[in-house]
Amino acid sequence: MKVHIELVNDLPEDEVLIRCGRVDETIQRIEQFIREQSTACAKITFYKDNEEFYFPLDTVLFFETEGDDIYAHMVNDAYRIKYRLYELEALLPRCFIRASKSAILNIRQIYSITINITASSLVKFKNSHKQLYVSRRYYTALRQRLNERSHYEK
């Protein structure tokens, strides 16, 4: 296996490209490691009352606006964060995607989607009673990302 590092000035975001003849278990492990490392770089502090919390991003089901605040929803609780949604979009790894004007969800935490062609589709999350609506505007991008995820998880 060859490994090359190419330094490119003025890139808006670091990019890793894997060229391979086939996607096997080794390539999948390399991809997973890279994703985990990029997730580890995103540090978000979560707040509840007078306490600060530090959770892995994989535990976040979704981020949602509520009034002037943004909340990170976990399986059983919600924590305030000090980022705006547009800042989160730039900061979060690829497993997070915009679901509506007021929410970003973690596709790795999706349990099911109830599709509604004429209105918003309902997303349910693993091991949680929490639900989120995905607006029609963002549904196609979500489907594409879910298809990418299922392709790599095989």
Side-chain angles (χ1 to χ4, degrees), residues 64-149:
E64 185 176 43
T65 59
E66 189 175 306
D68 290 336
D69 294 318
I70 307 293
Y71 287 89
H73 288 264
M74 312 298 194
V75 170
N76 292 316
D77 215 340
Y79 299 86
R80 191 175 47 80
I81 62 169
K82 293 185 177 180
Y83 288 95
R84 310 291 353 141
L85 286 181
Y86 70 88
E87 294 170 323
L88 286 171
E89 280 185 297
L91 176 71
L92 293 170
R94 189 163 167 78
C95 62
F96 287 88
I97 187 168
R98 184 70 83 136
S100 65
K101 283 182 172 182
S102 61
I104 296 173
L105 63 80
N106 183 349
I107 65 170
R108 292 182 181 160
Q109 294 292 341
I110 292 175
Y111 175 72
S112 71
I113 301 175
T114 304
I115 301 166
N116 187 337
I117 296 172
T118 60
S120 300
S121 298
L122 180 65
V123 173
K124 295 180 183 177
F125 296 94
K126 297 175 187 174
N127 304 314
S128 180
H129 67 281
K130 295 189 178 183
Q131 302 176 4
L132 180 71
Y133 285 97
V134 177
S135 69
R136 287 185 306 158
R137 176 179 177 196
Y138 294 98
Y139 180 76
T140 302
L142 173 63
R143 285 290 334 141
Q144 289 173 341
R145 191 72 59 82
L146 286 169
N147 288 337
E148 289 173 14
R149 178 189 75 168

Side-chain angles (χ1 to χ4, degrees), residues 1 18 25-35:
M1 177 183 297
I18 301 173
E25 187 177 333
T26 301
I27 298 297
Q28 288 175 335
R29 284 196 317 259
I30 291 168
E31 182 212 13
Q32 184 62 35
F33 177 78
I34 292 168
R35 289 186 189 280

Side-chain angles (χ1 to χ4, degrees), residues 37-84:
Q37 294 308 305
S38 67
T39 300
C41 293
K43 303 284 188 218
I44 295 179
T45 304
F46 303 88
Y47 301 91
K48 188 162 189 102
D49 299 324
N50 294 327
E51 287 186 81
E52 292 181 356
F53 298 90
Y54 305 93
F55 301 114
L57 284 177
D58 284 348
T59 62
V60 176
L61 304 176
F62 60 94
F63 295 94
E64 185 176 43
T65 59
E66 189 175 306
D68 290 336
D69 294 318
I70 307 293
Y71 287 89
H73 288 264
M74 312 298 194
V75 170
N76 292 316
D77 215 340
Y79 299 86
R80 191 175 47 80
I81 62 169
K82 293 185 177 180
Y83 288 95
R84 310 291 353 141

